Structure formats: C-alpha cells, structure tokens
Amino acid sequence: MASSHDPLYILLLGAPGVGKGTQAAFLTEKLGIPHVASGDLFRAAIANQTELGKLAKSYMDRGELVPDDVTIAMVMERLSQPDCAGGALLDGFPRTIEQAKALEKALAERGSRLALVLYIRAGEATLLERLGGRWTCRQCGAVYHERFNPPKQPGICDACGGELYQRPDDQPETQRRRIRVYLDQTAPLIEYFKERGLLVEIDGERDVESVRQAVEAALEPVLGGRV
Ligand code: ADP
Ligand code: AMP
C-alpha cells in the first residue's frame, strides 16, 4: 500500500496536440510535483545551443523522435534532481516501448513505480486543428490557442507578459509526420500500460474544462486523501 510520503509518478500519454501540456499546467499545481516534459527539455537545450540541443533539433525539425539513448539519459538526469524527489508528472516521455522499460527500471531501482497513466484521446482532425492554432510563451512555456484559449492580447502571454510564438514543428507537413510517428511508435504504449493495469482513458475531444474534470476524477482513486 502506497503511503502519502511515497514519490508520485504520473504519466500523461497521448498524441501531439491532444492537450497534455494544457492539463499538466493545472495538475502540477494540484499534485505538487514538477512537470517533466521531454519536448520542453529538448527546446531548452536548443535555446541554450548545447550539443544535445543541436542533435535534438535535427530530429524535431523533421517531426521524428530523438534517439532513445539520448532521450532516456536526458530525462533520467532530470528525474534525479532534488525537486523530483517527491515524484514527477511526465509528459511526452516515454514515447517508445524501450523508453517505457528504461523508466520502469529506473523507478524500480528507487523502490518506486508509475501510479497512473492518463491516456488522453482525440481524433486526427482535432489534433491538427489544435496544433495549427497553438501559440506558446517563449519565456514561461504557457500554451494558448488562437480560437480555443486565446491570450487577452494577441502575441503576449497573460501569465508573464512574454512573447508568444508558433513552434516550427507545428507547420502542417511536420504536424502530420508527428502524428504518423505517434501512431507507429508511441500508440503501442496504450496496450503496454493497459496490460499493467495502469491506463485510464480520457476523452480529449471535449473542452479544456471538461477534460480537466475527467482527469481529476481519474486521479481520485490514486490520490485518496493524499492531496
Ligand atoms: P500537447 O501537450 O498534448 O501537445 P497542448 O496542451 O500543447 O498539447 O495543446 C495543443 C493546443 O490545443 C494548444 O493550443 C491548446 O491551447 C489547445 N488545447 C488543449 N486542450 C484543448 C481542449 N480540450 N480543447 C480545445 N483546445 C485545446
Ligand atoms: P513535444 O513537445 O512533446 O511535442 O515534442 C516535440 C519533439 O521533441 C518531438 O516531435 C520529438 O522530436 C522530440 N521528443 C520529445 N519527447 C521525446 C521522446 N520521449 N522521445 C523522442 N523524441 C522526443
């Protein structure tokens, strides 16, 4: 039986644009654990012009996955930092079976395990509509949508006043490539986590607030009196 002091690892699984980052923004606050998004870590490495950033960019620009060894090392390093001692909300990692196995092994070595996989599901038309209108804050990473969740002032982040930009990999050709890559390499994780009894499926077609309520309901049995 897990105690309220055990680290809490929760995974957000779903296609690009389904709304993982949007839900993570409220979840990380509710759960009191950091949001660890592999895509954000790669984008930070690109901004800092590191070797890892240069390598990652060559894959990201094409909508391909960054190789497993590099990705696993980067996320494990992040999870070993002190602010992750109480667990983490994982978003965009794992994206392959090999990454999932590496994560399980690393958590087991710490005497821990994933508590829950929140699989958010939506059809391709919805994903393309969301990716096409996404604007992200360069400064704090907050996510907007030009129609579904517009900022108060176009181009400016409500939260921090930072500049909003459209991600280069949100261009139409790359969007479609990323969705294909998701279906080929990441979707097998749905069955993988279902077999382990960890998967809860959330209807991601609905508005942000409805998805949020479904996510909260799914978390209830795991959290109990924890938060
Ligand atoms: P992911 O992290 O899964 O790639 P995001 O959270 O960045 O997805 O969301 C993609 C885009 O869709 C953003 O522009 C976001 O504002 C918008 N969005 C997220 N969830 C919803 C929703 N339930 N309904 C409408 N738009 C949404
Ligand atoms: P995201 O921000 O999750 O949409 O990810 C943006 C891009 O970063 C992806 O299209 C991949 O190129 C790369 N990426 C992010 N997470 C991973 C991962 N777990 N494995 C491999 N590549 C990743």
Short mmCIF file of all heavy atoms in Angstrom, two decimals, residues 16-17 20 37-40 42-43 56 59-61 63-68 71 74-75 91-96 99 131 134 167 169-170 178, ligand 2:
data_model
loop_
_atom_site.label_atom_id
_atom_site.label_comp_id
_atom_site.label_asym_id
_atom_site.label_seq_id
_atom_site.Cartn_x
_atom_site.Cartn_y
_atom_site.Cartn_z
N PRO A 16 0.47 14.21 -30.22
CA PRO A 16 0.83 15.62 -30.23
C PRO A 16 -0.42 16.48 -30.40
O PRO A 16 -1.25 16.19 -31.26
CB PRO A 16 1.73 15.76 -31.47
CG PRO A 16 2.17 14.40 -31.83
CD PRO A 16 1.16 13.45 -31.28
N GLY A 17 -0.56 17.50 -29.55
CA GLY A 17 -1.68 18.43 -29.69
C GLY A 17 -2.94 18.02 -28.96
O GLY A 17 -3.93 18.75 -28.97
N LYS A 20 -1.96 17.55 -23.54
CA LYS A 20 -1.20 17.07 -22.36
C LYS A 20 -0.62 18.25 -21.58
O LYS A 20 -0.77 18.34 -20.36
CB LYS A 20 -0.07 16.12 -22.79
CG LYS A 20 -0.55 14.90 -23.57
CD LYS A 20 0.59 13.98 -23.94
CE LYS A 20 1.59 14.59 -24.88
NZ LYS A 20 1.05 14.94 -26.22
N ALA A 37 8.52 17.53 -19.03
CA ALA A 37 8.11 17.33 -20.42
C ALA A 37 9.38 17.22 -21.28
O ALA A 37 10.17 18.17 -21.36
CB ALA A 37 7.25 18.50 -20.89
N SER A 38 9.56 16.05 -21.89
CA SER A 38 10.79 15.83 -22.67
C SER A 38 10.93 16.86 -23.80
O SER A 38 12.03 17.34 -24.06
CB SER A 38 10.85 14.40 -23.20
OG SER A 38 9.59 13.99 -23.68
N GLY A 39 9.80 17.23 -24.43
CA GLY A 39 9.87 18.23 -25.50
C GLY A 39 10.39 19.57 -24.97
O GLY A 39 11.20 20.23 -25.61
N ASP A 40 9.94 19.95 -23.77
CA ASP A 40 10.42 21.22 -23.17
C ASP A 40 11.91 21.13 -22.87
O ASP A 40 12.65 22.11 -23.04
CB ASP A 40 9.67 21.51 -21.86
CG ASP A 40 8.22 21.93 -22.09
OD1 ASP A 40 7.85 22.19 -23.26
OD2 ASP A 40 7.46 21.99 -21.10
N PHE A 42 14.12 19.34 -24.46
CA PHE A 42 14.85 19.48 -25.73
C PHE A 42 14.84 20.94 -26.20
O PHE A 42 15.85 21.45 -26.68
CB PHE A 42 14.23 18.58 -26.81
CG PHE A 42 14.59 17.13 -26.68
CD1 PHE A 42 13.61 16.14 -26.73
CD2 PHE A 42 15.91 16.74 -26.51
CE1 PHE A 42 13.94 14.80 -26.61
CE2 PHE A 42 16.25 15.39 -26.40
CZ PHE A 42 15.26 14.41 -26.45
N ARG A 43 13.68 21.61 -26.07
CA ARG A 43 13.62 23.01 -26.54
C ARG A 43 14.55 23.91 -25.70
O ARG A 43 15.17 24.82 -26.24
CB ARG A 43 12.18 23.53 -26.52
CG ARG A 43 11.37 23.06 -27.75
CD ARG A 43 9.97 23.64 -27.79
NE ARG A 43 9.13 23.03 -26.78
CZ ARG A 43 8.48 21.87 -26.94
NH1 ARG A 43 8.58 21.20 -28.07
NH2 ARG A 43 7.75 21.36 -25.96
N ALA A 56 19.12 17.19 -31.09
CA ALA A 56 17.67 17.06 -30.97
C ALA A 56 16.96 17.83 -32.08
O ALA A 56 16.01 17.36 -32.69
CB ALA A 56 17.20 17.55 -29.61
N TYR A 59 16.25 16.18 -35.42
CA TYR A 59 15.12 15.23 -35.43
C TYR A 59 13.80 15.98 -35.30
O TYR A 59 12.83 15.69 -35.98
CB TYR A 59 15.25 14.23 -34.29
CG TYR A 59 16.41 13.27 -34.49
CD1 TYR A 59 17.66 13.55 -33.97
CD2 TYR A 59 16.24 12.09 -35.22
CE1 TYR A 59 18.73 12.69 -34.18
CE2 TYR A 59 17.30 11.22 -35.42
CZ TYR A 59 18.54 11.53 -34.89
OH TYR A 59 19.59 10.67 -35.10
N MET A 60 13.76 16.94 -34.39
CA MET A 60 12.50 17.66 -34.12
C MET A 60 12.00 18.41 -35.35
O MET A 60 10.81 18.42 -35.64
CB MET A 60 12.69 18.62 -32.94
CG MET A 60 12.88 17.88 -31.63
SD MET A 60 13.48 18.94 -30.30
CE MET A 60 11.98 19.73 -29.77
N ASP A 61 12.92 19.02 -36.09
CA ASP A 61 12.52 19.78 -37.29
C ASP A 61 11.84 18.88 -38.31
O ASP A 61 11.02 19.34 -39.09
CB ASP A 61 13.75 20.44 -37.94
CG ASP A 61 14.20 21.68 -37.19
OD1 ASP A 61 13.45 22.13 -36.30
OD2 ASP A 61 15.30 22.20 -37.48
N GLY A 63 10.08 16.21 -37.37
CA GLY A 63 8.94 15.55 -36.74
C GLY A 63 9.25 14.12 -36.34
O GLY A 63 8.34 13.33 -36.07
N GLU A 64 10.55 13.77 -36.29
CA GLU A 64 10.96 12.41 -35.89
C GLU A 64 11.26 12.38 -34.40
O GLU A 64 11.51 13.42 -33.79
CB GLU A 64 12.26 12.02 -36.62
CG GLU A 64 12.21 12.12 -38.12
CD GLU A 64 11.54 10.91 -38.75
OE1 GLU A 64 11.30 9.93 -38.02
OE2 GLU A 64 11.25 10.97 -39.95
N LEU A 65 11.32 11.19 -33.85
CA LEU A 65 11.72 11.06 -32.44
C LEU A 65 13.24 11.17 -32.32
O LEU A 65 13.98 10.65 -33.17
CB LEU A 65 11.28 9.71 -31.88
CG LEU A 65 9.78 9.45 -31.76
CD1 LEU A 65 9.53 8.15 -31.02
CD2 LEU A 65 9.06 10.61 -31.07
N VAL A 66 13.69 11.81 -31.27
CA VAL A 66 15.11 11.84 -30.93
C VAL A 66 15.47 10.42 -30.46
O VAL A 66 14.64 9.76 -29.81
CB VAL A 66 15.35 12.89 -29.81
CG1 VAL A 66 16.82 12.96 -29.44
CG2 VAL A 66 14.84 14.27 -30.25
N PRO A 67 16.68 9.91 -30.79
CA PRO A 67 17.01 8.53 -30.42
C PRO A 67 16.82 8.23 -28.93
O PRO A 67 17.04 9.10 -28.07
CB PRO A 67 18.47 8.39 -30.83
CG PRO A 67 18.64 9.38 -31.94
CD PRO A 67 17.74 10.54 -31.59
N ASP A 68 16.44 6.99 -28.65
CA ASP A 68 16.11 6.57 -27.29
C ASP A 68 17.24 6.82 -26.29
O ASP A 68 16.99 7.31 -25.19
CB ASP A 68 15.77 5.07 -27.28
CG ASP A 68 14.35 4.80 -27.75
OD1 ASP A 68 13.49 5.70 -27.65
OD2 ASP A 68 14.10 3.68 -28.22
N THR A 71 17.51 10.43 -25.30
CA THR A 71 16.29 10.90 -24.62
C THR A 71 16.22 10.32 -23.21
O THR A 71 15.91 11.04 -22.25
CB THR A 71 15.05 10.46 -25.44
OG1 THR A 71 15.19 10.95 -26.77
CG2 THR A 71 13.77 11.00 -24.84
N MET A 74 18.68 12.02 -20.89
CA MET A 74 18.26 13.39 -20.53
C MET A 74 17.15 13.37 -19.47
O MET A 74 17.22 14.11 -18.48
CB MET A 74 17.77 14.11 -21.79
CG MET A 74 17.19 15.48 -21.51
SD MET A 74 16.46 16.24 -22.98
CE MET A 74 14.98 15.24 -23.16
N VAL A 75 16.15 12.51 -19.66
CA VAL A 75 15.02 12.52 -18.72
C VAL A 75 15.46 11.94 -17.37
O VAL A 75 15.06 12.45 -16.31
CB VAL A 75 13.81 11.75 -19.30
CG1 VAL A 75 12.68 11.67 -18.28
CG2 VAL A 75 13.31 12.42 -20.57
N ASP A 91 5.38 14.03 -19.17
CA ASP A 91 4.59 14.45 -20.33
C ASP A 91 5.46 14.30 -21.57
O ASP A 91 6.49 14.95 -21.68
CB ASP A 91 4.16 15.91 -20.08
CG ASP A 91 3.63 16.62 -21.31
OD1 ASP A 91 3.54 16.01 -22.38
OD2 ASP A 91 3.32 17.83 -21.18
N GLY A 92 5.06 13.42 -22.48
CA GLY A 92 5.83 13.23 -23.72
C GLY A 92 6.95 12.22 -23.58
O GLY A 92 7.68 11.98 -24.54
N PHE A 93 7.12 11.67 -22.42
CA PHE A 93 8.09 10.60 -22.15
C PHE A 93 7.44 9.62 -21.19
O PHE A 93 6.90 10.06 -20.17
CB PHE A 93 9.37 11.16 -21.53
CG PHE A 93 10.38 10.08 -21.20
CD1 PHE A 93 11.38 9.74 -22.10
CD2 PHE A 93 10.30 9.37 -19.99
CE1 PHE A 93 12.29 8.73 -21.79
CE2 PHE A 93 11.21 8.36 -19.70
CZ PHE A 93 12.20 8.05 -20.60
N PRO A 94 7.48 8.32 -21.45
CA PRO A 94 8.09 7.62 -22.59
C PRO A 94 7.24 7.71 -23.84
O PRO A 94 6.03 7.88 -23.79
CB PRO A 94 8.17 6.18 -22.10
CG PRO A 94 7.08 6.04 -21.09
CD PRO A 94 6.94 7.38 -20.45
N ARG A 95 7.93 7.60 -25.00
CA ARG A 95 7.27 7.64 -26.30
C ARG A 95 7.54 6.38 -27.09
O ARG A 95 7.06 6.25 -28.22
CB ARG A 95 7.82 8.83 -27.09
CG ARG A 95 6.83 9.99 -27.27
CD ARG A 95 7.60 11.08 -27.98
NE ARG A 95 6.86 12.11 -28.60
CZ ARG A 95 6.65 13.31 -28.05
NH1 ARG A 95 7.01 13.56 -26.83
NH2 ARG A 95 6.05 14.24 -28.76
N THR A 96 8.35 5.48 -26.55
CA THR A 96 8.61 4.18 -27.19
C THR A 96 8.59 3.12 -26.08
O THR A 96 8.75 3.45 -24.89
CB THR A 96 10.00 4.13 -27.86
OG1 THR A 96 11.00 4.28 -26.85
CG2 THR A 96 10.18 5.22 -28.91
N GLN A 99 11.79 3.24 -24.11
CA GLN A 99 11.80 4.31 -23.10
C GLN A 99 10.95 3.91 -21.89
O GLN A 99 11.32 4.18 -20.74
CB GLN A 99 11.25 5.62 -23.69
CG GLN A 99 12.17 6.26 -24.72
CD GLN A 99 11.59 7.53 -25.33
OE1 GLN A 99 10.65 8.12 -24.80
NE2 GLN A 99 12.15 7.96 -26.46
N LEU A 131 -3.05 21.82 -33.08
CA LEU A 131 -1.63 22.14 -33.34
C LEU A 131 -1.51 23.39 -34.21
O LEU A 131 -0.63 24.23 -33.99
CB LEU A 131 -0.94 20.96 -34.06
CG LEU A 131 -0.72 19.70 -33.23
CD1 LEU A 131 -0.25 18.55 -34.13
CD2 LEU A 131 0.30 19.94 -32.11
N ARG A 134 -1.87 26.62 -32.13
CA ARG A 134 -1.15 26.71 -30.84
C ARG A 134 -0.14 27.85 -30.83
O ARG A 134 0.64 28.02 -31.76
CB ARG A 134 -0.42 25.38 -30.58
CG ARG A 134 0.53 25.45 -29.38
CD ARG A 134 0.86 24.11 -28.81
NE ARG A 134 1.65 23.27 -29.70
CZ ARG A 134 1.95 22.00 -29.42
NH1 ARG A 134 1.54 21.44 -28.30
NH2 ARG A 134 2.66 21.29 -30.27
N ARG A 167 5.42 27.12 -32.71
CA ARG A 167 6.54 26.18 -32.79
C ARG A 167 6.82 25.80 -34.24
O ARG A 167 5.90 25.57 -35.01
CB ARG A 167 6.21 24.91 -31.98
CG ARG A 167 6.43 25.11 -30.49
CD ARG A 167 5.91 23.97 -29.66
NE ARG A 167 6.20 22.64 -30.19
CZ ARG A 167 5.86 21.51 -29.57
NH1 ARG A 167 5.22 21.57 -28.41
NH2 ARG A 167 6.14 20.35 -30.10
N ASP A 169 7.79 23.10 -35.41
CA ASP A 169 7.27 21.77 -35.77
C ASP A 169 5.74 21.73 -35.74
O ASP A 169 5.15 20.66 -35.85
CB ASP A 169 7.88 20.66 -34.88
CG ASP A 169 7.63 20.86 -33.39
OD1 ASP A 169 7.18 21.96 -32.98
OD2 ASP A 169 7.88 19.90 -32.63
N ASP A 170 5.09 22.88 -35.61
CA ASP A 170 3.63 22.93 -35.74
C ASP A 170 3.22 23.34 -37.16
O ASP A 170 2.05 23.65 -37.41
CB ASP A 170 3.02 23.90 -34.71
CG ASP A 170 2.87 23.25 -33.33
OD1 ASP A 170 2.99 22.01 -33.25
OD2 ASP A 170 2.63 23.97 -32.34
N ARG A 178 4.40 14.04 -37.38
CA ARG A 178 4.45 13.73 -35.94
C ARG A 178 3.30 12.81 -35.54
O ARG A 178 3.47 11.94 -34.68
CB ARG A 178 4.43 15.04 -35.12
CG ARG A 178 5.77 15.76 -35.20
CD ARG A 178 5.66 17.21 -34.82
NE ARG A 178 5.21 17.38 -33.46
CZ ARG A 178 4.50 18.41 -33.03
NH1 ARG A 178 4.16 19.37 -33.87
NH2 ARG A 178 4.15 18.49 -31.79
P1 AMP B 2 6.57 17.61 -27.78
O1 AMP B 2 6.96 18.91 -27.16
O2 AMP B 2 6.23 16.55 -26.77
O3 AMP B 2 5.51 17.78 -28.84
O4 AMP B 2 7.87 17.07 -28.52
C1 AMP B 2 8.47 17.81 -29.59
C2 AMP B 2 9.53 16.94 -30.28
O5 AMP B 2 10.59 16.61 -29.35
C3 AMP B 2 9.05 15.57 -30.78
O6 AMP B 2 8.43 15.66 -32.07
C4 AMP B 2 10.37 14.79 -30.82
O7 AMP B 2 11.16 15.17 -31.94
C5 AMP B 2 11.08 15.30 -29.58
N1 AMP B 2 10.74 14.47 -28.39
C6 AMP B 2 10.05 14.87 -27.29
N2 AMP B 2 9.93 13.87 -26.41
C7 AMP B 2 10.54 12.79 -26.97
C8 AMP B 2 10.73 11.44 -26.56
N3 AMP B 2 10.25 10.98 -25.39
N4 AMP B 2 11.40 10.61 -27.39
C9 AMP B 2 11.90 11.06 -28.56
N5 AMP B 2 11.74 12.30 -29.02
C10 AMP B 2 11.07 13.18 -28.24
#
